[in-house]
Each structure stands twice: as structure tokens, then as C-alpha cells.
Amino acid sequence: MTEITTQSVNADETVVVSVDAMGGDKGPGVIIAGLLLSTKQHSNIRFLVHGPENQIKPLIIKYNFQNFCKIVHAERIVSMDDKPSQVMRHGKGTSMWSAVTSVKQLEADACVSCGNTGALMAISMVRLRKLPGINRPAIAILWPSVNTTGANVMLDVGADIRADENDLLQFALMGASYLRNGFGVTRPRVGLLNVGTEEHKGRAELKAAHDLIRDTADTGNFAFVGFVEGSDIPSDRVDVIVTDGFTGNIALKTAEGTASFIGSALRKSFKHSLLSRLSAIAAYGPLSRLKQQTDPRRVNGGVFLGLNGTVVKSHGAADATGVAAAVGLAYRLGTTKFSTKLAARVASVNGFTEDLEEDGA
């Protein structure tokens, strides 16, 4: 399978990633190990590591990692139980706030956090602000697929549970720009998630969004394939799946739960008897390839689209491999100056959609 690859990068150009070292479920040790792993993949990457210095410094010394990192002391931590509204008002001084602020101040090209998703979005909105013309930011994830790229993009998966037809149009534009500028897919195929592929199905806002996205496809430089169903999410029919955050988050969590169940059931089945164990040995090669293809760690990282800066949300329970994947995504997008290109794309299409509304199209 062909993996999604980066565009060409000048190896002499340093890319700085700002990292909230205190957000993960497994503590800063796993995050620092993930950063170390990412340096083996990107020799020109450097880090601003945010958190209590007395906890971070010994870990960096342990891994002999000093040449790649600068510690930015932040005494306080955002917990998974903190409410976004509280963090917006009182988050200053936390490692998460400090990490996002480094992007705002142009000290870093992108930010990565494994912490509280709602709090991270709230801080990012306060510190970075929305791009001009964007109504609702969205979280875009890479979904393992049989596509030639190895993954499809889906958004929104939880930034906001609501989305009208204009929001869904913006998601389509942002998702297509993400895939085009971040991964070099020239003309992404965009689909709108629905309960069926027939044009008469779905809620009123979905039907309205269908027409808006269809009419904007040429101007937005993407191909619109129409409605897609849940079974199309990992398929090669589409590159970008557009939906509201409520539906997208349920789909994502359902997939995670199903993958966990299948893995557990397979392990139990292969331990059932001696013959089962022998069968497991015989199937080791194909099962290893399947595990690699569907391993969520290799596509870990949801990007907050629609902000004046690049923020990547890593899974809270990510191990070092997963953290390295999220950092690699931040590196890619920081290198390609993705946010600037996204802003230009949204601005170029806004006038066209306004004309459509005036003409009653």
C-alpha cells in the first residue's frame, strides 16, 4: 500500500513544533519518547516543550535529547476533567496555553497536545482566532483506507456538534485544501456523509449542502462525488468525507471500539486450543500486515482546521509511536505553511459563494 507522503522539504530548514508535554494519559515520559522517535524520521525538527521544568528536564537528560529541545516552563496543567469554559478564562499559565501561544507568537510552526480536546479547541480559538470567513473550525482526522494514499480525511469529528449547509461547504473546502497542500493530492474527491447516496435522502441542510458543494467544486479545485455512506469512509471512492461533529465523532468512536473488539476477539480465538495457536503462527505474516494497515497509531492526530495557526490533537492514550505520528503530521503541515494556503483558498471561494447566494443559486 502506498502511504500518504510529504511534499519535498528543505533539509536545512528547521521546523519547530510546540509540544504540550503534560496532556497525555500516560504522562510526559511517553510524550518525550515520542518526540525522540520523531527526530529519527525528521533530522531538522526541533521542539519547544511546555510543562513543569522539574518534571521535563530529567526526562530530556535521560534520553540525551537536549540538542533538540528547549523547555518552556509552565507550572499548571489542564486536566481531562477541566471544562473548556473554565480553561478559556483561567488557562493562562498552563502547559497547553503556553504551547498554543508559541504558535501565535510565531515561535513555532505548529502545536501538538495529547490533552483535553475541548480545552485545546477553546484555547486555540482564544489565542489563534478563526481565519477570516470561517464560521466554525473543524477537527480533521486521517482514516485508514484502501485508497492508494493509505488514508482518507474526515471532518468534523467533534469540534462542534452543529453544522448547517454553509458550515459543511467550508468543511469541504478546508478538507480539500488540507489534503492538497499537506499531502500533495492534486484534486481531492469530496463526499458528503449521509444515510444513502440518493439525492432525495437526508436532512434539509444536507440536501442544501449537497448543492452548495457541487456548485463550488470547480472553484474550490476538488471533485464532488455526492453523498457517501458510512461504508465508504475507508473506501477508495472518496478522499475527503464531510459531516457534522456529532455524526463524525460517533463514527470515529464506533470504529475505535469495533477495532478493539476485533483485536480482542482474534487474540482470544487464537488462544482457544493448540490447533488455534498453530494457526496463529501460520497466519502471522498476513495478520502483521493487516495490523500495520489498520494500526490507528500511524494516522494519529486530528488537525484543527480554520484557525490562524496549526494545532494537532493527539489521542490522549497515545504511546510513543502514536505521539511521533502526531508530531510528524504537525511537521508536515508546518513545513508546507498549510494555514496560510488554507486562508487563501477560503478567501478565494468566499466571493464566489456570495455571488451564488445573490443569484439565488
Side-chain angles (χ1 to χ4, degrees):
M1 173 174 291
T2 303
E3 297 287 344
I4 286 181
T5 57
T6 67
Q7 297 177 346
S8 59
V9 176
N10 184 350
D12 297 327
E13 182 181 350
T14 299
V15 178
V16 180
V17 178
S18 178
V19 181
D20 170 17
M22 308 308 294
D25 296 343
K26 300 180 179 180
V30 169
I31 294 175
I32 300 301
L35 302 187
L36 179 61
L37 185 59
S38 69
T39 62
K40 303 181 186 304
Q41 302 163 349
H42 311 291
S43 61
N44 61 329
I45 195 169
R46 296 295 183 269
F47 302 103
L48 297 177
V49 186
H50 302 258
E53 186 171 5
N54 63 345
Q55 295 187 47
I56 296 172
K57 188 173 182 178
L59 293 169
I60 291 176
I61 293 173
K62 173 185 175 182
Y63 290 110
N64 194 24
F65 197 41
Q66 298 93 318
N67 292 338
F68 289 88
C69 294
K70 176 183 176 182
I71 298 173
V72 181
H73 178 70
E75 190 68 35
R76 297 168 53 218
I77 299 168
V78 175
S79 75
M80 290 296 183
D81 297 325
D82 286 338
K83 294 181 179 179
S85 58
Q86 294 175 335
V87 175
M88 286 178 69
R89 293 192 297 269
H90 308 295
K92 191 174 182 179
T94 63
S95 58
M96 184 181 288
W97 185 284
S98 180
V100 174
T101 298
S102 289
V103 176
K104 175 182 173 60
Q105 296 176 343
L106 304 181
E107 299 167 343
D109 298 294
C111 169
V112 175
S113 176
C114 298
N116 182 320
T117 303
L120 182 61
M121 177 57 81
I123 289 175
S124 299
M125 290 272 287
V126 169
R127 302 303 291 150
L128 301 178
R129 302 296 181 181
K130 294 182 292 185
L131 289 172
I134 293 295
N135 183 31
R136 298 183 194 278
I139 303 176
I141 62 161
L142 296 171
W143 193 297
S145 75
V146 297
N147 211 332
T148 55
T149 56
N152 294 336
V153 170
M154 188 166 81
L155 72 164
D156 178 25
V157 296
D160 198 318
I161 63 172
R162 297 164 295 177
D164 62 19
E165 58 269 25
N166 293 306
D167 297 326
L168 293 169
L169 170 60
Q170 290 188 348
F171 294 171
L173 293 170
M174 292 193 294
S177 181
Y178 174 37
L179 205 51
R180 185 187 309 110
N181 295 311
F183 302 99
V185 178
T186 307
R187 192 172 174 82
R189 297 165 299 168
V190 175
L192 183 60
L193 190 63
N194 199 358
V195 295
T197 58
E198 298 87 350
E199 292 189 13
H200 66 274
K201 287 191 173 181
R203 302 190 304 268
E205 63 268 26
L206 286 177
K207 296 175 185 178
H210 177 282
D211 294 344
L212 278 176
I213 297 172
R214 179 198 61 204
D215 294 341
T216 312
D218 287 341
T219 306
N221 194 23
F222 61 86
F224 183 50
V225 302
F227 287 132
V228 296
E229 299 179 278
S231 57
D232 293 315
I233 295 175
S235 76
D236 61 355
R237 184 186 170 214
V238 66
D239 301 304
V240 179
I241 299 97
V242 173
T243 187
D244 61 86
F246 182 85
T247 306
N249 192 264
I250 289 176
L252 175 62
K253 297 298 174 59
T254 300
E256 290 176 347
T258 301
S260 178
F261 168 74
I262 291 174
S264 177
L266 277 174
R267 287 190 294 270
K268 185 177 180 180
S269 178
F270 281 127
K271 293 178 180 179
H272 180 68
S273 66
L274 177 59
L275 182 60
S276 298
R277 289 183 171 87
L278 293 173
S279 298
I281 294 173
Y284 179 78
L287 286 174
S288 295
R289 288 190 292 273
L290 175 63
K291 181 179 180 181
Q292 183 178 7
Q293 180 181 353
T294 59
D295 188 353
R297 297 180 303 171
R298 72 180 181 88
V299 290
N300 177 47
V303 183
F304 292 177
L305 299 182
L307 300 173
N308 284 296
T310 300
V311 178
V312 175
K313 169 64 175 71
S314 169
H315 199 293
D319 61 7
T321 300
V323 171
V327 169
L329 180 57
Y331 171 89
R332 261 197 302 272
L333 299 180
T335 299
T336 59
K337 308 303 178 186
F338 164 71
S339 290
T340 302
K341 295 177 181 178
L342 174 59
R345 171 55 58 188
V346 171
S348 70
V349 175
N350 274 343
F352 174 76
T353 54
E354 288 170 4
D355 290 341
L356 280 178
E357 291 173 358
E358 289 176 3
D359 295 340

